[in-house]
Amino acid sequence: MAAMTTDSTGTAARDDASRPGGPADSPFVRACRRRSVPHTPVWFMRQAGRSLPEYREIRANVAMLESCRRPELVTEITLQPVRRHNVDAAILFSDIVVPVAAAGVDLDIVPGTGPVVAEPVRTAADVQRIRLIGRDDVPYVDEAVRLLVKELGDTPLIGFAGAPFTLASYLVEGGPSRTHAKTKALMYGEPELWHALADRLAEVTLAFLRVQIDAGVSAVQLFDSWAGALSEADYRRFVLPHSTKVLAGLADAGVPRIHFGVGTAELLGAMGEAGADVVGVDWRTPLDVATGRIGPDKAVQGNLDPCVLFAPWPVIEAEVRRILDQGRAAPGHVFNLGHGVLPETDPEVLTRVVALVHELSGRPADRD
């Protein structure tokens, strides 16, 4: 594990951050920082679980929230795709509602449905009941990260959290929604209440990510899964200030920050302003086009359509080549899917994609 010190603000500072070797000098972190790399790094959203038979076996009869609260189980699930696929980064096995559950929201993750909230958040009193959290509220996350950092060695670990808008949508709707009608009604009809809720969730999210950073993750990703439901004007008014609060709040943390949403082609420029070092792009927007919208000072992540993995191998190979070619327009590129691994995906195909990306993008690295 990297030696770490903590300054008076509680910010973890890595003693090995400037030394060669270790997670801080990995292809993944170097690409996030727009530095030269020996090959384009690759990892997959939702690689920890979903398609792996060993994951389904170990998760049998263990509820999702319970599995997120068992450090040894989290460690094993997080390591499984690293062992199997040779990906360039691990992502912590967890769920975006873990911190809001720790903050006192009564919810459950229902198989086949997703997060379901017992009492949806609709009033100022509901917002006040969402507690601020710290390490003592999620000790299992702290322990899991520390165990993983020891096991992973030079492979970086990505921490993550849900963005305020996506979390708020679950809380207001009471569960997943295709229209986000109640969420938008609250935004438009009671903007002060909306901003109070989003600000509280930004505080919870920021604290949750700080716990992971202090425990040793090498990067963090902020997921705004439902942001694509908004216009750019609404995003800038109702969402951008709160995502910025989270990402800017980590500016001194010493780790790359990734920001990702689905269906966000028209929001990429605004999302790039939120303060991330890397902007994730879904499969709908070519990476060279996305780079033009995001700007030349951000790395990009993405963006193979997860459904392409079900096509014949020549089709997959052609798409990987296309994405690698378009990714060269950006100052840094992390290969990924345009969303998460689908449960029915053949794990062997994922392994082959990793090897192909490494083979096609391999090049001498000019250490800088």
Side-chain angles (χ1 to χ4, degrees), residues 216-299:
V217 298
S218 297
V220 293
Q221 176 158 305
L222 187 67
F223 283 87
D224 211 351
S225 306
W226 307 131
L230 302 174
S231 68
E232 182 182 357
D234 286 346
Y235 178 87
R236 288 185 176 278
R237 179 182 177 189
F238 295 112
V239 178
L240 182 57
H242 306 291
S243 293
T244 299
K245 180 173 184 175
V246 176
L247 293 167
L250 301 173
D252 64 346
V255 301
R257 298 154 293 170
I258 309 168
H259 196 18
F260 173 74
V262 182
T264 55
E266 298 304 317
L267 308 180
L268 289 172
M271 290 181 71
E273 297 171 18
D277 305 288
V278 185
V279 177
V281 183
D282 75 9
W283 67 91
R284 297 171 178 87
T285 309
L287 290 181
D288 51 353
V289 174
T291 296
R293 296 176 182 178
I294 296 164
D297 61 338
K298 309 286 183 185

Side-chain angles (χ1 to χ4, degrees), residues 115-358:
V116 176
V117 179
E119 298 181 11
V121 175
R122 306 279 171 78
T123 68
D126 294 335
V127 173
Q128 289 301 313
R129 284 196 290 271
I130 302 173
R131 303 190 304 265
L132 300 181
I133 67 170
R135 178 191 173 279
D136 291 344
D137 297 292
V138 286
Y140 41 86
V141 173
D142 177 85
E143 183 180 349
V145 171
R146 294 180 188 276
L147 288 171
L148 279 162
V149 169
K150 291 178 182 178
E151 291 288 335
L152 285 165
D154 291 346
T155 301
L157 174 65
I158 306 168
F160 80 93
F165 173 77
T166 291
L167 293 177
S169 180
Y170 279 118
L171 298 188
V172 173
E173 301 287 341
S177 171
R178 293 183 178 179
T179 63
H180 309 281
K182 295 183 178 66
T183 304
K184 291 183 178 183
L186 181 64
M187 284 188 342
Y188 299 142
E190 299 184 71
E192 290 187 5
L193 178 57
W194 167 262
H195 285 296
L197 171 60
D199 184 72
R200 177 60 60 92
L201 292 173
E203 292 281 359
V204 170
T205 298
L206 182 56
F208 188 59
L209 290 173
R210 280 283 184 181
V211 169
Q212 296 174 60
I213 291 169
D214 287 347
V217 298
S218 297
V220 293
Q221 176 158 305
L222 187 67
F223 283 87
D224 211 351
S225 306
W226 307 131
L230 302 174
S231 68
E232 182 182 357
D234 286 346
Y235 178 87
R236 288 185 176 278
R237 179 182 177 189
F238 295 112
V239 178
L240 182 57
H242 306 291
S243 293
T244 299
K245 180 173 184 175
V246 176
L247 293 167
L250 301 173
D252 64 346
V255 301
R257 298 154 293 170
I258 309 168
H259 196 18
F260 173 74
V262 182
T264 55
E266 298 304 317
L267 308 180
L268 289 172
M271 290 181 71
E273 297 171 18
D277 305 288
V278 185
V279 177
V281 183
D282 75 9
W283 67 91
R284 297 171 178 87
T285 309
L287 290 181
D288 51 353
V289 174
T291 296
R293 296 176 182 178
I294 296 164
D297 61 338
K298 309 286 183 185
V300 297
Q301 179 175 278
N303 64 343
L304 183 69
D305 186 336
C307 292
V308 168
L309 297 172
F310 298 95
W313 180 252
V315 175
I316 298 172
E317 181 175 351
E319 285 296 287
V320 169
R321 288 179 180 274
R322 176 185 63 81
I323 290 165
L324 287 172
D325 183 58
Q326 293 172 344
R328 293 188 182 97
H333 177 210
V334 176
F335 191 98
N336 207 308
L337 302 182
H339 199 197
V341 174
L342 296 173
E344 303 85 4
T345 306
D346 181 352
E348 295 300 322
V349 173
L350 290 172
T351 304
R352 290 184 71 183
V353 168
V354 174
L356 180 63
V357 170
H358 288 170

